[in-house]
């Protein structure tokens, strides 16, 4: 890259006084010419196809510019052309580490627009699935952030447990990822009694595992030194950057949609919102570890509730939006026509709706606007990962290369959701 | 003539043993990491995957030789050779066993060369290995590699000093630089009445400093900044492929073995069998191998357990903690020896 090009690249980033290094002075032996370095789009620490264009003064990265768009698939546009129902399979592929959480977010936006009531048992199954998905996503965040800092075994420990959850999810939905099991008005199928027991058995041992991981990392001097004070952000700054989820809670703001605007009956569950104090990578790590425990707690309560509602309906009985049973479709002409109508041109009432759910990365919002036809007028995603990526330069500029890797791991983003 | 022949045989045997031990160490690395991480590890080639290193070697030979565009070709090729050669040469003075036999009045010891400046030789030749890393990183014409090379050179300077100073403490105690003599002194007698007469009991601080410094010296986790796959994508060897990469690998494992042997020699009585002064030489070799294997395991254990330090934290540790401590240790040792 020619010097002009690199200057152009540098100029696209706004200067923030106090954080930036001095401009390169070629006569100064300590702060001479800066190296332009590409971290990504294929780099072990970027976890996906994020590209960081950085200017490096030795080990210190004086300027960082995240470049996104390598995974852009036009998801929002796809929703507008595919229609209400068919977008469900696409929501799985947004943040592919927590497919069902995305499903629920989208389904609830539709239900809000259509004023559709979801049966009690379906709500509980949704909560169970959302929390297991949150655990899965946090396990990845924990494993890879540890791996980035060199604790490679942690990655395998968390993946080991994640595999077990995948087995359970697989037994329920028939897929490991991209389940698309949440439907408008409920869930596709009931959770069987035996599977409930398997879920319970998993969560009985899970807390022990979390304690073991904590014993490997939390008290570890190297881990502490690598994370404490790295990428610190105050509560006000975090709010103005639009951070939500564990990143905001790490800064000490107890904002969690499950508590502040409960949905799916979260108000009936007994759980706590962990918050940090300093808003650095270590606090974000501690918040995620504690959320693993709290999610397991919610899951245990959800499984308890499932016991008392066995056999109940898991999808709303509303013929406008819910498909008829397959056995009826194959035996009755009217039901077949009904199914065809729903699949081809199910339309939602005019209006708009926004539904935000607490995903593992922050507030995952679906905004949909309908003109009463079979496809949305506009579908917009509020992606928490995008907010997490945009804060990276603020957190990491002027830090060492190793710290940037620690920040990348601790803010936790998934490129599928950033690019959409 | 027979003495020359004996030296030749020893050189072949020890060199062969070192290279195959390095191969075994790569297998052990994968097996141990698999145990730690609830995995199986290699188990397809040979019984329990025992022939995996051979398969890897064959694979490396058949891989494409690749020199990146803009690389300084001869330095790029020379660098892995320096790295491997330095590690292999430093093994020459390590005493693997005691007196084997006597030919024409010349005592034959189980080490390639029974140098009077053995300790100096290991440090001097072993220290050359870092040139391979620096040159390799520099000649690759890649920014990440250059970063790796630069980190390695700075790390080397910070850690050679405490390493040498902790060796010096042992040398001051033993009054010799000959590694075999250092072992012999540890063979007889007991420490504090009941422990083997090993230097570790007299020099615990030097021992700890030395072991930590060997990790930095061999570029091993948690000090593997030159490599650092999550930041520098492999660092100095990012651009290397086929046998050139394998040579770096071989060099790293040979250096680990040499450093583990040196730890054993200096602090744990080398080839001496505890509480049995007149043990036959082959038992001595067995004791040596067992002790070295423990330190090799320590290398692997630490790698798969701890997170990595940050580059500047390592510098802090080296210059502000280890150097003063090792100087203090030298001072105390000097006082104790002179009194």
């Amino acid at each position: 890259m020619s010097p002009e090009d690199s200057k152009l690249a540098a100029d696209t980033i706004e200067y923030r006084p106090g954080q930036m290094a001095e401009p390169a002075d070629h006569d100064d032996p300590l702060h001479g010419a800066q190296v332009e370095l590409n971290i990504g789009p294929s780099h072990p620490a970027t976890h996906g196809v994020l590209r960081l264009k950085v200017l490096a003064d030795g080990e210190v990265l004086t300027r960082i510019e995240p470049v996104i768009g390598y995974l852009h698939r036009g998801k929002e546009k796809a929703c507008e052309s595919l229609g209400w129902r068919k977008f469900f399979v696409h929501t799985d592929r947004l943040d592919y580490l927590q497919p069902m959480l995305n499903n629920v977010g989208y389904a609830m936006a539709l239900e809000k627009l259509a004023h559709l009531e979801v049966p009690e048992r379906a709500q509980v199954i949704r909560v169970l699935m959302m929390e297991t998905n949150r655990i899965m996503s946090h396990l990845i965040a924990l494993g890879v952030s540890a791996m980035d800092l060199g604790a490679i075994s942690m990655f395998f420990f968390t993946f080991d447990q994640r595999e077990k959850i995948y087995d359970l999810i697989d037994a329920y939905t028939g897929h490991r990822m991209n389940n698309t099991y949440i439907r408008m008005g409920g869930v596709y199928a009931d959770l069987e009694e035996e599977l409930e027991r398997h879920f319970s058995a998993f969560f009985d041992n899970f807390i022990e595992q979390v304690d073991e991981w904590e014993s490997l990392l939390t008290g570890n001097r190297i881990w502490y030194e690598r994370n404490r004070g790295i990428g610190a952000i105050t509560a006000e700054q975090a709010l103005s950057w639009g951070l939500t989820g564990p990143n905001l809670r790490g800064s000490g703001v107890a904002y969690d949609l499950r508590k502040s605007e409960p949905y799916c009956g979260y108000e009936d569950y007994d759980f706590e919102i962990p918050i940090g104090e300093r808003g650095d990578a270590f606090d974000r790590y501690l918040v995620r570890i504690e959320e693993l425990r709290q999610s397991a707690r919610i899951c245990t309560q959800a499984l308890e509730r499932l016991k008392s509602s066995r056999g109940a309906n898991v999808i709303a009985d509303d013929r406008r939006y819910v498909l008829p049973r397959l056995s009826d479709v194959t035996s009755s002409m009217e039901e077949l026509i009904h199914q065809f109508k729903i699949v081809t041109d199910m339309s939602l009432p005019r209006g708009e709706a926004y539904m935000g759910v607490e995903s593992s990365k922050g507030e995952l919002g679906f905004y949909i606007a309908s003109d009463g036809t079979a496809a949305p007028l506009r579908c917009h995603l509020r992606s928490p990962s995008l907010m997490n990526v945009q804060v990276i330069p603020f957190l990491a500029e002027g830090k060492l290369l190793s710290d940037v890797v620690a920040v990348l791991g601790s803010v936790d983003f998934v490129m599928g959701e950033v690019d959409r | 003539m027979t003495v020359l022949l004996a030296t030749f045989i020893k050189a072949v045997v020890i060199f062969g043993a070192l290279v195959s031990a390095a191969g075994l160490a790569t297998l052990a690395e994968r097996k141990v990491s698999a145990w730690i991480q609830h995995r199986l590890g290699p188990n397809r080639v040979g019984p329990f995957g025992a022939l995996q290193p051979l398969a890897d070697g064959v694979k490396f030979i058949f891989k494409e030789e690749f020199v990146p565009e803009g690389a300084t070709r001869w330095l790029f090729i020379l660098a892995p050779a320096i790295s491997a050669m330095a590690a292999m040469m430093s093994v020459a003075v390590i005493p693997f066993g005691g007196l084997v036999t006597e030919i024409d009045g010349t005592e034959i010891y189980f080490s390639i060369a029974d140098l009077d400046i053995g300790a100096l030789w290991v440090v001097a030749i072993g220290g050359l290995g870092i040139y391979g890393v620096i040159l390799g990183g520099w000649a690759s014409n890649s920014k990440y590699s250059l970063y790796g090379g630069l980190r390695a050179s700075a790390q080397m300077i910070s850690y050679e000093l405490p390493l040498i100073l902790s060796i010096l403490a042992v040398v001051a105690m033993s009054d010799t630089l000959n590694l075999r003599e250092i072992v012999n002194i540890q063979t007889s007698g007991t420490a504090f009445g009941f422990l083997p007469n090993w230097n570790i009991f007299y020099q615990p601080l030097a021992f700890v400093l030395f072991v930590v410094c060997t990790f930095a010296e061999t570029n091993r986790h948690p000090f593997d900044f030159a490599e650092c796959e999550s930041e520098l994508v492999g660092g100095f060897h990012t651009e290397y492929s086929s046998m050139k990469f394998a040579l770096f690998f071989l060099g790293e494992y040979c250096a680990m073995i040499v450093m583990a042997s040196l730890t054993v020699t200096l602090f744990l009585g080398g080839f001496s069998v505890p509480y049995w002064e007149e043990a036959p030489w082959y038992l001595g070799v067995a004791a040596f191998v067992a002790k070295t294997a423990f330190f090799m395991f320590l290398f692997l254990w630490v790698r798969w357990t701890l997170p990595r330090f940050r580059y500047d934290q390592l510098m802090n540790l080296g210059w502000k903690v280890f150097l003063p401590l090792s100087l203090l240790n030298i001072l105390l040792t000097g006082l104790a020896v002179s009194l």
Side-chain angles (χ1 to χ4, degrees):
Chain A
M1 193 173 256
S2 68
E4 285 81 8
D5 283 350
S6 74
K7 190 172 174 296
L8 272 180
D11 283 345
T12 55
I13 307 173
E14 189 195 343
Y15 273 86
R16 278 187 294 277
Q19 269 215 319
M20 290 293 176
E22 293 295 308
D25 176 2
H26 291 269
D27 297 329
D28 183 355
L30 282 179
H31 302 283
Q34 304 198 356
V35 184
E36 182 163 311
L37 204 61
N38 262 318
I39 302 183
S42 171
H43 183 282
T46 56
H47 311 303
V49 286
L50 174 68
R51 172 176 162 219
L52 296 179
K53 215 153 131 184
V54 303
L55 274 181
D57 179 8
E59 289 277 334
V60 180
L61 304 189
T62 51
R63 228 168 285 170
I64 300 174
E65 183 188 359
V67 182
I68 60 171
Y70 288 87
L71 203 60
H72 183 69
R73 294 149 296 168
K75 288 292 182 202
E76 290 175 1
K77 185 67 193 161
C79 181
E80 288 155 27
S81 56
L82 281 174
W84 302 109
R85 291 179 52 86
K86 291 179 193 163
F87 188 59
F88 267 107
V89 287
H90 288 263
T91 58
D92 289 313
R93 288 146 177 89
L94 292 170
D95 181 350
Y96 40 80
L97 302 178
Q98 43 167 36
M100 298 233 228
L101 243 158
N102 306 335
N103 286 169
V104 175
Y106 181 60
M108 278 169 44
L110 298 189
E111 285 152 10
K112 201 169 173 181
L113 191 59
H115 301 292
L116 193 62
E117 280 293 317
V118 178
E120 171 67 23
R121 186 169 170 83
Q123 302 268 33
V124 181
I125 294 180
R126 280 182 177 188
V127 166
L128 177 66
M129 287 302 137
M130 281 197 281
E131 293 309 317
T132 46
N133 274 259
R134 187 187 318 282
I135 289 175
M136 267 158 44
S137 178
H138 276 357
L139 287 182
I140 299 251
L142 190 61
V144 295
S145 63
M147 185 175 68
D148 283 348
L149 301 190
I152 300 170
S153 295
M154 268 303 289
F155 178 74
F156 287 88
F157 296 155
T158 57
F159 262 58
D160 192 30
Q161 291 302 307
R162 184 169 163 271
E163 252 341 274
K164 287 182 183 156
I165 300 183
Y166 263 148
D167 286 346
L168 294 171
I169 301 264
D170 189 5
Y172 174 45
T173 68
H175 283 280
R176 287 158 52 80
M177 292 172 87
N178 303 334
N179 325 86
T180 324
Y181 229 56
I182 312 292
R183 293 287 190 274
M184 198 178 161
V187 296
Y188 177 71
D190 199 2
L191 197 66
E192 281 166 23
E193 195 184 328
E194 193 190 340
L195 203 52
E196 282 175 28
R197 278 201 299 276
H198 286 302
F199 268 100
S200 300
F202 172 79
F203 286 112
D204 287 345
N205 294 321
F206 183 68
I207 302 285
E208 256 173 57
Q209 292 290 332
V210 177
D211 291 344
E212 194 185 320
W213 301 331
E214 265 219 279
S215 72
L216 274 170
L217 289 181
T218 308
N220 187 321
R221 187 77 200 174
I222 305 176
W223 179 256
Y224 181 85
E225 297 276 344
R226 286 298 306 271
N227 282 296
R228 185 47 103 196
I230 304 301
I233 185 166
T234 64
E236 291 78 32
Q237 285 166 339
L239 284 169
S240 59
W241 276 96
L243 289 186
T244 40
N247 293 345
L248 179 62
R249 294 194 282 273
S251 299
V253 182
Y255 175 71
D256 189 318
L257 287 174
R258 291 175 294 177
K259 286 277 190 204
S260 59
E261 294 166 43
Y263 49 91
C264 284
Y266 265 118
E267 64 272 23
D268 304 330
Y269 293 88
D270 183 23
F271 65 102
E272 276 145 37
I273 303 298
I275 56 167
E277 284 167 13
R278 304 193 202 179
D280 54 10
F282 195 69
D283 275 355
R284 291 194 280 272
Y285 152 77
L286 287 179
V287 165
R288 290 210 177 85
I289 281 269
E290 188 53 35
E291 283 193 15
L292 285 177
R293 296 204 180 94
Q294 297 300 332
S295 288
R297 212 170 131 194
I298 297 173
C299 287
T300 318
Q301 295 170 40
L303 286 163
E304 206 54 47
R305 279 164 202 231
L306 282 179
K307 274 184 197 165
S308 57
S309 66
R310 275 181 196 139
N313 235 351
V314 292
I315 193 149
D317 190 19
D318 189 325
R319 293 175 61 82
R320 287 173 301 169
Y321 306 115
V322 177
L323 285 178
R325 268 205 300 271
L326 195 63
S327 56
D328 298 339
V329 172
T330 50
S331 58
S332 147
M333 189 65 201
E334 286 71 27
E335 294 290 339
L336 180 64
I337 293 169
H338 181 62
Q339 192 209 33
F340 183 76
K341 288 292 281 179
I342 289 187
V343 170
T344 51
D345 61 4
M346 180 191 88
S347 53
L348 258 63
R350 282 176 76 91
E352 54 188 324
Y354 174 83
M355 187 65 216
V357 290
E358 185 68 30
S359 92
S360 61
K361 317 275 189 298
E363 177 177 349
L364 171 67
F366 286 87
Y367 166 79
I368 48 171
S370 166
D371 54 358
T373 57
L377 193 62
R378 176 75 173 102
C379 168
H380 175 73
L381 299 172
R382 189 224 181 257
S383 142
S385 292
L386 181 65
M387 310 294 166
N388 295 351
V389 166
Q390 73 174 357
V391 80
I392 288 172
F394 176 75
L395 294 182
E397 259 171 4
K399 299 272 168 50
L400 295 171
L401 179 58
S402 313
D403 289 340
V404 173
V405 170
V407 167
L408 282 180
S410 78
V411 294
D412 188 24
F413 53 87
V414 163
M415 289 314 284
E417 196 178 61
V418 174
D419 289 341
R420 308 204 278 281
Chain B
M1 191 61 210
T2 41
V3 175
L4 207 62
L5 186 70
T7 309
F8 180 71
I9 292 172
K10 281 190 303 191
V12 169
V13 168
I14 290 177
F15 178 75
L18 177 71
V19 174
S20 28
L24 273 179
T26 62
L27 179 68
E29 174 110 78
R30 299 175 64 173
K31 278 287 186 192
V32 169
S33 67
W35 288 333
I36 292 177
Q37 297 167 351
H38 311 171
R39 295 186 288 118
L40 290 174
N43 62 355
R44 285 293 178 271
V45 192
F48 307 106
L51 298 178
Q52 186 68 39
L54 271 183
D56 284 345
V58 171
K59 184 193 77 180
F60 277 128
I61 289 169
F62 285 113
K63 286 276 178 182
E64 183 191 352
E65 283 282 324
F66 180 77
V67 181
E69 195 183 324
T72 315
R73 197 182 164 82
W74 68 279
L75 277 181
F76 188 76
I77 295 172
L78 183 67
I82 294 178
S83 202
M85 197 177 65
M88 288 173 188
M89 272 173 69
S90 49
V91 84
V93 292
I94 304 282
F96 290 92
L99 187 64
V100 178
T101 177
E102 218 169 283
I103 302 173
D104 304 339
T106 313
E107 291 166 333
I108 304 291
Y109 298 101
F110 202 144
S111 61
I112 299 177
D114 184 33
L115 277 189
D116 281 340
I117 51 157
L120 213 54
W121 169 273
V122 177
V123 172
I125 300 295
L128 285 180
I130 206 69
Y131 278 102
V133 174
I134 297 169
L135 290 178
W138 193 8
S140 293
N141 188 32
S142 151
K143 288 168 189 166
Y144 284 114
S145 302
L146 183 62
Y147 266 92
L150 282 176
R151 284 180 173 190
S153 51
Q155 177 181 338
M156 199 61 184
I157 299 168
S158 328
Y159 276 76
E160 288 269 271
L161 283 172
L163 183 88
I164 294 171
L165 286 175
S166 45
I167 295 181
L168 207 58
V170 174
V171 169
M173 266 186 62
S174 316
D175 210 13
T176 174
L177 277 166
N178 186 321
L179 291 176
R180 185 177 51 78
E181 287 296 324
I182 291 177
V183 174
N184 279 343
I185 291 167
Q186 300 175 67
T187 307
S188 50
T190 50
F192 311 116
F194 63 102
L195 292 165
N197 196 22
W198 292 350
N199 284 334
I200 180 175
F201 303 118
Y202 303 108
Q203 292 283 356
L205 184 59
F207 172 73
V208 172
L209 290 175
F210 185 85
V211 169
V212 176
C213 288
T214 55
F215 281 87
E217 172 88 7
T218 52
N219 267 324
R220 282 291 290 189
H221 202 90
F223 305 125
D224 57 346
F225 302 102
E227 198 178 320
C228 207
E229 78 292 330
S230 60
E231 292 157 30
L232 301 182
V233 212
F236 67 97
H237 64 53
T238 307
E239 306 293 339
Y240 278 89
S241 63
S242 77
M243 267 323 268
K244 293 203 284 291
F245 174 74
L247 272 182
F248 269 132
F249 228 67
L250 194 66
E252 182 185 325
Y253 282 89
C254 285
M256 277 161 66
I257 294 171
V258 170
M259 280 299 159
S261 320
L262 198 61
T263 316
V264 169
T265 307
L266 291 174
F267 294 100
L268 289 173
F271 54 80
S272 71
V273 184
Y275 307 114
W276 190 11
E277 260 179 66
E278 287 83 29
W281 67 271
Y282 46 86
L283 274 186
V285 175
F288 184 88
V289 170
K291 292 173 195 170
T292 308
F294 171 76
F295 281 97
M296 286 300 289
F297 178 72
L298 189 70
F299 274 117
L300 309 184
W301 190 11
V302 167
R303 170 164 184 189
W304 299 110
T305 312
L306 291 182
R308 183 185 292 120
F309 273 92
R310 201 172 62 205
Y311 178 65
D312 61 321
Q313 290 169 347
L314 173 89
M315 291 294 156
N316 267 342
L317 194 68
W319 291 102
K320 294 186 183 163
V321 181
F322 280 14
L323 191 62
L325 274 180
S326 52
L327 284 171
L328 177 75
N329 191 48
I330 286 282
L331 181 72
L332 292 178
T333 311
L335 282 176
V337 168
S338 61
L339 286 179

